[in-house]
Amino acid sequence: MTVEQNVLQQHSQKHQQTLLNQLKEVTGTTDVQLLQQALQVSNGDLAEAVAFLTEKNAKVPQQDETTYYQTSQVASDRYISVGSQADTNVIDLTGDDKDDLQRAIALSLEESNRAFRETGITDEEQAISRVLEASIAENKASLKRTHTEVWSDSPNPHDRKRIDNCPVGLKNVGNTCWFSAVIQSLFNLLEFQRLVLNYSPPARVHDLPRNQKEHRNLPFMQELRNLFSLMVGSKRKYVDPSRAVEILKDAFKSSESQQQQDVSEFTHKLLDWLEDAFQMKAEEDREGEKPKNPMVELFYGRFLAVGVLEGKKFENTEMFGQYPLQVNGFKDLHECLEAAMIEGEIESLHSAENSARSGQEHWFTELPPVLTFELSRFEFNQALGRPEKIHNKLEFPSMLYMDRYMDRNREITRIKREEIRRLKEHLTLLQQRLERYLSYGSGPKRFPLADVLQYAMEFASSKPVCTSPVEDIDTSAPPGGTTGQQLPPPSTAEQESLPPLESSGPASGPTTATTAPQQQRVPIHKPFTQSRLPPDIPMHPAPRHITEEELRVLEGCLHRWRSEVENDTRDLQGSITRIQRTIELMYSDKSMMQVPYRLHAVLVHEGQANAGHYWAYIYDPHQRCWMKYNDISVTKSSWEELVRDSFGGYRNASAYCLMYINDKKPFLIEEEFDKETGQILSGMDKLPPDLKHYVKEDNEQFDKEIEEWDTLQARKAQQEKLALATAAAAAASAASSTSTSSSSPQPMSIESSPPDNAVPQQDPEYMEQPSPTNDSKHLQEDTERAISRAAAEQEERSPEALLNAAIKLEYGRLLRFAQEDTPPENDYRLQHIIVYFIQNQAPKKILERTLLTQFADRNLAFDERCKSIMNVARAKLDLIKPEEVNMDEYEMWHQDYRNFRETTIFMMTGLELFQKTNFVEALMYLVYAYQYNKELLLKGLYRGHDEELLGHYRRECLLKLNEQAAAMFESGEEPEVTTGLGIMNELVVPCIPLLLVHDTERDLLAVEDMRNRWCSYLGQEMESNLQEKLTDFLPKLLDCSTEIKSFHDPPKLPSYSTLELCERFSRVMAALGRVPSDGR
C-alpha cells in the first residue's frame, strides 16, 4: 500500500468515526454497532440515521438540528465536513476489505467533484440542506406557523433617532436575534468591517452568473455592504436588516418554518459565502498566481493531527474555521481545549512499543487572527426523545494564552501535561485522605473527626443531673388512665432507695408522708411495667460511673488526638492548596504566554433547546468597556454582567460562541487613518462613494420623516391651544354669571381686601377650594382651630399678632406629626402638605408662603376675627417680593406633592384591586405606582412610599397573572387559550423589561419562574394549534431586551378629598399587614 493510499484510508476511517461521534452526540446512543447500523441503513445520511435511532430507541420521531462540525483536509486546501455526505453508492466500510475502502474513497471524491462542477455547491452544503429540509419537513407536518410578531417602530421618529455616535442596533424582523448577534460581533471587528465596505464585485458580475453560488453570494454581499454602511453612518437608532435576512432565509429554505437558526451554523455559512465572494474577486485580481482570500486569512487556521492508527503512526495538516468544544463535564475553557486536542488512547503515541491502540493529538501550527470557539450546549435526551440544553457553568478568561496548544511547544507541553497528570493523581489521593478526616464514620451519617473527638470530650466531662421516670407519670391517674400530667417529686424513702451516686438531690418531702406514696406506687407502675423501678436517667447524656483518674486520662487522650487530627487536616488542606496553585501556574512562565488572544465577543443564548433568544456582548477597546447588543437595544455593560449571563449555571442563559482576537495584531480593531491628513476616519468618511450616496439618501428620508412629524405635532398643539382657549373663555363667562347671581349679602370692601390679582391665581386644590368642599372644610377647621388657640393664648389681640401666633401653633402641630414615628397606615404626609415639606427639608420660604396661603383662604368663617386675619395674610402674600420666594421653585414643590398624592392613589387602588384578586386591573395601577414612586424617590427618601412593598405586589401580581394564563393555556379550550395568551401578550410580556431593567434578584427570579413555567410545555404532547401558538409566543417571553416596546396609558384616577384619601389608604395598608421577608 502506498503512502497516499495509507493517508486516504486514514482519512476515510476518520470520517466514519466523525459521523459516529456526531450521531453519538445528537442521539445520546453509545452502542457502536447500533450507530454503524444506522449509518448503513441511512446510506450515510445523518438526518435519516438520527431518525432511525430515535424511532428505534425512543419511539419519538423528533429531529434535532444540533450539528457537530468537524474539519479535515483531503487533496484540497480546505475541506469542512458538516454533518454527513450523502452518497447513493455506499460501500460497507466496516469490514476488512481494503479494495472496498479504496473504491469508496475514489467514488466519494469523484461524486464530490462532479456535483461541484455542475452546480457550484459542495457536498457539505448539500449535507446541510438535507438536514435542514428534514427538520423543516418534520416541522411542517406538526405545525404550520403564522408570521411572528416583530418589533413595532415607535410612531415618533425622535424616539428612533441615533444619539451622537452611539452604536446602531438591528431590528428584529421575526426571530432574527441570531442574525443581530453574529453581525454585530463581526461588524465590530474593524478589519472585517473595512473588507466588507470596500468590497467591489468582480467585473464579470454584469454577465450572467455561472452557477448558483454567484446567484446567491453576490446579492447577499451587496446587501451586507448596504447594511454595514447604515450601521456606520445612519442617523437612525437602529436599522432594518430585512433584505440580507431574506436572502439567508431563502438559502436555508426555512422561511416557512421561521425557526431560529443556530448561531454557529449561521456563522459558518455566512463566512463560507463571504469567502466564496472574496475568492471570486481574488481570482480575478491575481490571474496566474495563487490568490489570497482575506476571509481565509482572517478566520481560518491550521492544526497538525499526530496520531496512531492500529499501531501505525501518522501526521497530517488540516484546516479549521470555528473550533467545536464540548461543554459537558468541564469547568473552564482550558479543560475543554485540552480534551478537544486529544482523541482516543493517546498514551501509545509516546510509548516505545506501539500497540494496536489508536488515538491522535491536535497541535495548532497556525492560528487565525480571529479565533472562534463553538460551545456545544445541546444534547439529545434519549429517554424523552428530544434535545435539551446544557446549563452547566463553564468559565472562560478575558485573555487566553494559546501557547500550550501550539506545535512548536509540543514537547514542553507534553512534559507539563505529564507533570499535571502526576500532580492531579497525587491531589486525588490527598483529597481522599482529607475526606476521611472530614466525613468520619461507618454509617450513613458522617461527621468531621475533630468534631467527633470534641463531642466525646464534652460527653466525658459532663456531670449527670438525675431525674426519675416516675416524675413523668401522673400519680392521681387510675391504673388505666392517661400519663400526660406530671407527678410531684418522689418521697424521701424513694430517694434513699436509689444508688448513692445518683441520688444527689435533697429530699422533697417529710418522712411522715412516706406511707401514701408507697401505697400508690403499685397501681401506678404495674400497668406500665411488671419489673421493678428502673434506675434514674440523667437529664442529658453523661457518664454514670467515671473516676477522676479515668476522666483525667481520657481528657488528655482526646485533647491530644484532636490536636493531631486538626494538624493533619491543616497539613492536608495546605498540601492540596499548594498543588492546586502549582497546577494553575504551570503555564504562567513567560515562554508560555507569547500567543495572547483577547476576548472580543460572546454570543449568548437564553432559553431551552427548542426556543430562546440570542444577544451579544462585545468589547469596545476605545471606551474600554463591554457593550450589550440586544437587537435594537445597545447599552453599556460590565464584565460582571457578562459573567453572570455567559458562564451558565444562572437562569437559562449561557455563552454559545466565543470570539477571541490576536492581541498582537491591533489592526483588527484599529480605526483607519486618512493617508493625506493623518486624521482618523469616522462616520461617513469611512464609506466608499457608492455607499455614501446610499446612506445619504436614507438619512434624507429620515430627516424628512422627522420634519413631517414635527409639523404634524405643531399643528396638533395649535389646535389643542385653540380648544383650551375656547374652553377657558366659556368657563370664565360661566363663572362671571355665577358670581353675579350668587354674591354675598355682605361683600367685603375694596379697602379691607387686597385685589384678586394680588393672590396667586392657582392655589393647589388641597390648599384652597373655590367652594367649601369636604377637603377645604378639613383644612378650614384646622386653620380656625389654630386661630382660636392663638386668641386664647395671645394677650395682644391685633390681627397681625394673632396671625403670627396661629401660624406658629399650626406649624408646631404639623412639625410634631412630621417627627412622629407612625405605622405605614398612618401617613401624616397625606393629611397636610407641610408635613411632606418638613420631612423632605423644603426651604423655609416655601413653608412660610404655604402656611400664609392656608390662612388667606376665603372660605374661613366670616366672623370679624377670622376675616381680619385672612386679610392680613393676603396682604402679607402681596408684599412678598419675587426675589424673596422663587415661584418656580414654589410651584415645583407643590407639583411634587401633587405627584405624591397621585402616586398614592395609584398605589392604593392597585392594592385594593389586588386584595379583591382582580389582578388584571390591579397590574396597571401597581406598575404606574412603582414607576412614579421610583421617580419621586430619586429626589429623596421621604418623597414617596416603600419601594420594596410596591415592588413586591407588582411582582406578585405578575406571577398571579402568569399562573392564571398558564392554567388557561393548559385547559386546551380555544377561548381560554386565547384569553390566557392575551393576558401574557398584553399585560405580562410588556412588564418583563420593567423587572429586568433594575436587575434586582427577586425580580429576576420572578421572570425566571414565569419563563420556566412556559418553557416546561416544550416537548409535551399537545394539539398542533396549541404548539403553533406556544412557538409564536415563546420568543416574545424570552426576549431579554430592557427597552419598553409598547405600554398601556395610565388609568384615570378618581378624585378624593384629603379625609377620604387618608381613610382609604389607612384601611388598605392595615389590611396588608407586613410583606413576607422571604417573599419574592
Side-chain angles (χ1 to χ4, degrees):
M1 181 180 293
T2 64
V3 175
E4 183 180 358
Q5 288 175 327
N6 187 30
V7 171
L8 289 173
Q9 178 186 351
Q10 292 169 6
H11 167 72
S12 181
Q13 293 183 358
K14 179 184 174 183
H15 182 63
Q16 185 188 18
Q17 186 61 42
T18 299
L19 294 179
L20 291 174
N21 290 340
Q22 289 175 325
L23 276 178
K24 186 183 298 183
E25 178 191 354
V26 172
T27 64
T29 304
T30 57
D31 188 335
V32 177
Q33 292 183 349
L34 185 59
L35 293 172
Q36 290 175 340
Q37 181 187 356
L39 284 176
Q40 291 174 5
V41 170
S42 64
N43 288 337
D45 189 295
L46 187 62
E48 292 183 13
V50 170
F52 172 81
L53 288 172
T54 51
E55 288 172 5
K56 184 175 182 66
N57 297 327
K59 303 300 182 185
V60 179
Q62 189 163 351
Q63 168 75 27
D64 180 29
E65 284 189 24
T66 305
T67 311
Y68 180 70
Y69 299 113
Q70 299 259 348
T71 59
S72 59
Q73 179 182 0
V74 173
S76 64
D77 287 332
R78 186 173 61 86
Y79 178 94
I80 301 179
S81 171
V82 185
S84 171
Q85 302 168 339
D87 197 340
T88 54
N89 299 315
V90 173
I91 299 171
D92 184 8
L93 302 179
T94 58
D96 296 329
D97 190 342
K98 304 301 182 184
D99 292 336
D100 282 351
L101 181 61
Q102 298 306 316
R103 285 191 291 108
I105 295 170
L107 184 60
S108 175
L109 292 174
E110 180 183 352
E111 178 67 21
S112 175
N113 293 331
R114 182 184 61 79
F116 179 75
R117 285 194 303 271
E118 292 178 358
T119 65
I121 303 174
T122 63
D123 281 353
E124 297 78 43
E125 291 169 331
Q126 295 177 22
I128 289 179
S129 179
R130 278 195 302 274
V131 174
L132 288 172
E133 286 171 358
S135 177
I136 292 164
E138 183 178 315
N139 286 334
K140 283 182 181 178
S142 60
L143 57 99
K144 294 181 180 178
R145 297 190 46 192
T146 58
H147 184 66
T148 310
E149 288 185 24
V150 298
W151 290 95
S152 56
D153 292 330
S154 168
N156 185 351
H158 290 282
D159 294 339
R160 296 180 270 118
K161 188 175 181 179
R162 185 178 181 182
I163 301 172
D164 299 328
N165 290 321
C166 292
V168 175
L170 291 176
K171 184 178 179 180
N172 190 330
V173 291
N175 288 346
T176 57
C177 48
W178 49 272
F179 180 87
S180 174
V182 175
I183 289 297
Q184 291 283 17
S185 302
L186 294 173
F187 174 81
N188 282 276
L189 283 170
L190 297 187
E191 177 65 12
F192 180 85
Q193 181 188 122
R194 285 189 286 271
L195 288 170
V196 171
L197 291 174
N198 296 314
Y199 176 83
S200 58
R204 59 179 171 77
V205 74
H206 302 293
D207 303 329
L208 288 176
R210 292 182 303 179
N211 54 43
Q212 185 178 342
K213 275 192 175 183
E214 293 186 9
H215 271 293
R216 177 196 62 204
N217 294 351
L218 295 177
F220 175 76
M221 195 69 203
Q222 186 55 44
E223 291 303 333
L224 190 62
R225 291 182 72 237
N226 293 343
L227 181 61
F228 271 29
S229 67
L230 290 175
M231 293 168 72
V232 168
S234 178
K235 292 183 179 180
R236 303 176 190 268
K237 183 179 179 182
Y238 56 90
V239 293
D240 189 335
S242 297
R243 293 182 179 178
V245 169
E246 285 306 316
I247 295 175
L248 275 174
K249 285 188 173 180
D250 288 342
F252 277 112
K253 297 183 181 180
S254 59
S255 55
E256 293 181 12
S257 67
Q258 292 288 319
Q259 61 194 7
Q260 292 186 327
Q261 303 299 325
D262 179 273
V263 169
S264 60
E265 177 186 331
F266 164 65
T267 311
H268 172 83
K269 291 308 299 175
L270 173 68
L271 295 179
D272 227 14
W273 293 5
L274 292 173
E275 181 190 344
D276 290 337
F278 276 95
Q279 187 68 24
M280 285 184 269
K281 179 65 176 172
E283 288 173 356
E284 181 183 77
D285 293 344
R286 304 187 63 175
E287 292 183 4
E289 300 179 30
K290 186 176 181 180
K292 287 188 176 181
N293 191 316
M295 290 295 111
V296 174
E297 293 182 349
L298 201 57
F299 293 103
Y300 290 93
R302 295 177 184 273
F303 65 83
L304 185 68
V306 182
V308 174
L309 181 62
E310 296 181 355
K312 295 180 181 180
K313 290 186 178 182
F314 69 89
E315 278 191 17
N316 59 323
T317 301
E318 301 181 13
M319 206 166 188
F320 71 94
Q322 301 172 79
Y323 204 83
L325 296 176
Q326 294 297 315
V327 169
N328 217 359
F330 305 110
K331 68 176 183 180
D332 59 41
L333 186 61
H334 276 299
E335 284 193 3
C336 295
L337 274 167
E338 290 280 356
M341 301 301 279
I342 300 177
E343 297 178 5
E345 303 176 82
I346 202 64
E347 294 85 356
S348 58
L349 280 174
H350 318 307
S351 59
E353 49 184 58
N354 289 325
S355 65
R357 292 184 294 180
S358 300
Q360 63 174 308
E361 292 176 328
H362 290 177
W363 298 97
F364 293 119
T365 55
E366 180 184 345
L367 288 174
V370 181
L371 180 59
T372 306
F373 296 113
E374 301 171 15
L375 304 182
S376 179
R377 281 196 172 272
F378 294 101
E379 63 182 2
F380 194 85
N381 188 316
Q382 189 70 27
L384 299 178
R386 59 183 171 87
E388 288 187 340
K389 186 178 177 184
I390 301 169
H391 295 293
N392 298 354
K393 183 177 182 180
L394 183 81
E395 299 178 0
F396 49 84
S398 59
M399 185 67 75
L400 178 69
Y401 293 95
M402 295 293 293
D403 303 73
R404 69 185 80 174
Y405 311 109
M406 302 303 294
D407 182 54
R408 62 174 177 265
N409 297 322
R410 188 195 306 185
E411 295 307 320
I412 188 171
T413 300
R414 283 175 174 171
I415 293 171
K416 288 181 178 291
R417 283 178 180 170
E418 179 60 28
E419 179 64 14
I420 289 174
R421 186 190 63 78
R422 187 185 62 79
L423 287 172
K424 285 185 174 180
E425 288 178 356
H426 187 43
L427 182 65
T428 302
L429 293 174
L430 292 178
Q431 288 172 334
Q432 290 173 352
R433 289 179 60 187
L434 179 63
E435 184 65 18
R436 296 190 190 104
Y437 281 93
L438 298 180
S439 299
Y440 186 80
S442 57
K445 291 185 179 180
R446 305 192 176 197
F447 304 92
L449 180 54
D451 292 348
V452 172
L453 295 172
Q454 176 65 27
Y455 301 152
M457 193 157 48
E458 291 172 359
F459 172 79
S461 57
S462 298
K463 299 294 182 185
V465 178
C466 300
T467 180
S468 172
V470 181
E471 295 180 10
D472 294 332
I473 304 170
D474 186 0
T475 55
S476 64
T482 62
T483 61
Q485 301 176 358
Q486 290 186 345
L487 280 173
S491 65
T492 306
E494 289 174 337
Q495 292 189 16
E496 288 176 353
S497 67
L498 298 174
L501 184 63
E502 298 181 4
S503 58
S504 56
S508 58
T511 54
T512 55
T514 310
T515 310
Q518 285 178 342
Q519 291 174 351
Q520 290 176 358
R521 285 183 62 189
V522 174
I524 290 172
H525 255 299
K526 287 292 184 180
F528 298 100
T529 174
Q530 296 300 321
S531 61
R532 64 182 184 83
L533 259 176
D536 285 2
I537 300 173
M539 289 291 290
H540 57 76
R544 293 184 178 277
H545 303 284
I546 186 169
T547 64
E548 292 295 331
E549 180 63 21
E550 288 173 338
L551 181 59
R552 183 180 61 79
V553 172
L554 185 57
E555 283 184 339
C557 291
L558 291 172
H559 269 297
R560 185 176 72 253
W561 295 339
R562 186 169 183 269
S563 298
E564 291 171 356
V565 167
E566 288 176 343
N567 290 335
D568 291 346
T569 303
R570 275 194 299 270
D571 291 343
L572 286 169
Q573 289 171 336
S575 298
I576 290 171
T577 302
R578 284 191 296 274
I579 291 176
Q580 289 173 337
R581 184 65 176 160
T582 302
I583 293 173
E584 289 173 6
L585 299 177
M586 186 63 70
Y587 294 100
S588 61
D589 52 293
K590 288 186 178 180
S591 64
M592 300 299 284
M593 300 175 70
Q594 301 301 309
V595 189
Y597 272 76
R598 184 176 57 76
L599 187 61
H600 164 70
V602 180
L603 278 62
V604 179
H605 174 269
E606 181 177 42
Q608 304 297 335
N610 301 70
H613 180 66
Y614 292 103
W615 70 91
Y617 289 102
I618 303 172
Y619 186 72
D620 186 335
H622 306 291
Q623 297 190 59
R624 296 186 177 182
C625 69
W626 285 93
M627 303 292 291
K628 183 177 181 180
Y629 290 79
N630 191 352
D631 290 331
I632 67 170
S633 172
V634 182
T635 55
K636 279 190 176 182
S637 185
S638 63
W639 175 253
E640 290 71 27
E641 183 183 359
L642 183 152
V643 166
R644 187 198 65 200
D645 286 348
S646 305
F647 279 10
Y650 178 77
R651 306 193 312 192
N652 288 330
S654 54
Y656 196 70
C657 187
L658 305 177
M659 194 177 288
Y660 283 87
I661 58 175
N662 192 322
D663 204 41
K664 289 187 175 182
K665 296 184 178 180
F667 72 88
L668 293 169
I669 52 173
E670 278 183 348
E671 294 284 1
E672 191 176 0
F673 289 85
D674 188 288
K675 294 178 181 179
E676 296 179 359
T677 64
Q679 298 294 319
I680 293 178
L681 295 177
S682 61
M684 299 283 281
D685 295 335
K686 287 183 175 184
L687 305 179
D690 63 321
L691 294 181
K692 277 185 183 177
H693 180 70
Y694 177 79
V695 175
K696 185 179 178 182
E697 284 186 347
D698 185 77
N699 286 341
E700 287 174 353
Q701 182 181 349
F702 187 60
D703 288 338
K704 185 178 179 181
E705 189 179 342
I706 291 177
E707 185 180 347
E708 291 174 353
W709 170 266
D710 290 342
T711 303
L712 178 63
Q713 296 308 307
R715 190 181 303 120
K716 285 183 178 179
Q718 186 66 24
Q719 292 172 352
E720 289 175 1
K721 189 175 180 181
L722 289 172
L724 287 172
T726 305
S733 176
S736 174
S737 61
T738 304
S739 61
T740 302
S741 61
S742 60
S743 58
S744 174
Q746 295 180 342
M748 293 182 289
S749 64
I750 297 176
E751 291 79 8
S752 63
S753 175
D756 288 344
N757 58 10
V759 184
Q761 293 298 310
Q762 290 183 346
D763 284 323
E765 60 177 349
Y766 42 81
M767 295 300 303
E768 178 176 355
Q769 299 288 335
S771 60
T773 61
N774 291 335
D775 207 10
S776 62
K777 280 183 179 179
H778 175 71
L779 191 62
Q780 176 184 330
E781 289 171 1
D782 289 342
T783 308
E784 292 174 354
R785 194 178 300 112
I787 291 174
S788 299
R789 284 187 59 195
E793 298 175 5
Q794 188 73 16
E795 294 181 0
E796 186 181 350
R797 295 305 179 96
S798 68
E800 186 172 1
L802 287 175
L803 174 64
N804 292 335
I807 286 178
K808 286 182 180 178
L809 288 170
E810 179 70 354
Y811 179 78
R813 179 180 75 90
L814 298 174
L815 179 62
R816 286 193 296 276
F817 284 165
Q819 294 174 341
E820 187 175 335
D821 188 13
T822 59
E825 57 264 26
N826 296 330
D827 195 335
Y828 288 127
R829 292 175 298 175
L830 295 173
Q831 296 186 17
H832 205 290
I833 187 174
I834 293 294
V835 178
Y836 182 85
F837 284 177
I838 293 172
Q839 289 190 356
N840 290 289
Q841 301 177 350
K844 182 180 177 183
K845 293 291 184 182
I846 304 295
L847 293 172
E848 290 175 354
R849 184 178 180 91
T850 304
L851 282 169
L852 272 176
T853 305
Q854 176 180 334
F855 282 87
D857 184 4
R858 286 197 181 96
N859 293 318
L860 292 176
F862 280 97
D863 60 74
E864 288 301 321
R865 183 175 62 195
C866 288
K867 193 190 319 181
S868 60
I869 288 175
M870 178 197 70
N871 288 333
V872 172
R874 294 172 72 84
K876 282 181 174 288
L877 283 173
D878 189 36
L879 292 173
I880 295 176
K881 298 178 181 179
E883 61 268 17
E884 292 179 356
V885 177
N886 186 331
M887 289 307 295
D888 289 339
E889 184 182 17
Y890 176 84
E891 180 55 35
M892 182 195 72
W893 276 94
H894 281 264
Q895 182 60 48
D896 284 352
Y897 186 66
R898 283 192 288 270
N899 294 342
F900 169 72
R901 282 171 62 99
E902 286 183 3
T903 303
T904 303
I905 296 172
F906 273 115
M907 171 182 172
M908 178 183 71
T909 309
L911 292 175
E912 283 179 333
L913 292 168
F914 183 90
Q915 291 168 356
K916 296 174 182 176
T917 67
N918 188 350
F919 304 120
V920 172
E921 291 186 27
L923 180 64
M924 283 301 101
Y925 285 99
L926 291 173
V927 164
Y928 277 100
Y930 184 90
Q931 294 302 112
Y932 293 158
N933 189 67
K934 193 166 191 69
E935 293 174 10
L936 290 171
L937 292 177
L938 291 175
K939 296 184 177 181
L941 182 62
Y942 299 102
R943 294 290 186 114
H945 295 284
D946 183 359
E947 185 176 18
E948 186 177 348
L949 181 138
L950 271 171
H952 170 82
Y953 282 99
R954 180 186 68 165
R955 194 165 50 243
E956 285 299 313
C957 194
L958 283 167
L959 289 167
K960 296 286 187 184
L961 285 173
N962 188 69
E963 287 299 315
Q964 284 185 1
M968 291 177 178
F969 182 80
E970 290 172 2
S971 71
E973 299 294 330
E974 185 64 27
E976 292 283 298
V977 171
T978 303
T979 303
L981 290 177
I983 290 173
M984 294 300 296
N985 285 320
E986 295 172 17
L987 296 175
V988 178
V989 170
C991 289
I992 284 181
L994 299 175
L995 301 185
L996 295 176
V997 69
H998 299 300
D999 210 16
T1000 60
E1001 183 179 359
R1002 291 178 180 176
D1003 284 347
L1004 292 177
L1005 286 173
V1007 173
E1008 184 68 11
D1009 283 354
M1010 289 187 279
R1011 288 173 171 171
N1012 285 342
R1013 177 65 182 268
W1014 290 92
C1015 286
S1016 67
Y1017 299 136
L1018 291 171
Q1020 293 186 17
E1021 293 293 333
M1022 63 178 71
E1023 297 292 333
S1024 60
N1025 65 317
L1026 294 183
Q1027 181 70 43
E1028 178 183 342
K1029 292 176 185 291
L1030 179 65
T1031 314
D1032 278 340
F1033 163 67
L1034 275 179
K1036 290 178 275 187
L1037 180 66
L1038 296 173
D1039 182 6
C1040 294
S1041 172
T1042 55
E1043 182 160 338
I1044 311 300
K1045 304 181 190 66
S1046 62
F1047 215 68
H1048 297 271
D1049 293 331
K1052 292 185 179 180
L1053 297 178
S1055 178
Y1056 292 106
S1057 69
T1058 297
L1059 189 60
E1060 289 173 335
L1061 180 61
C1062 292
E1063 287 179 352
R1064 291 191 68 174
F1065 182 80
S1066 177
R1067 190 163 57 248
V1068 170
M1069 296 301 291
L1072 288 182
R1074 295 188 60 185
V1075 179
S1077 60
D1078 59 343
R1080 190 175 297 285

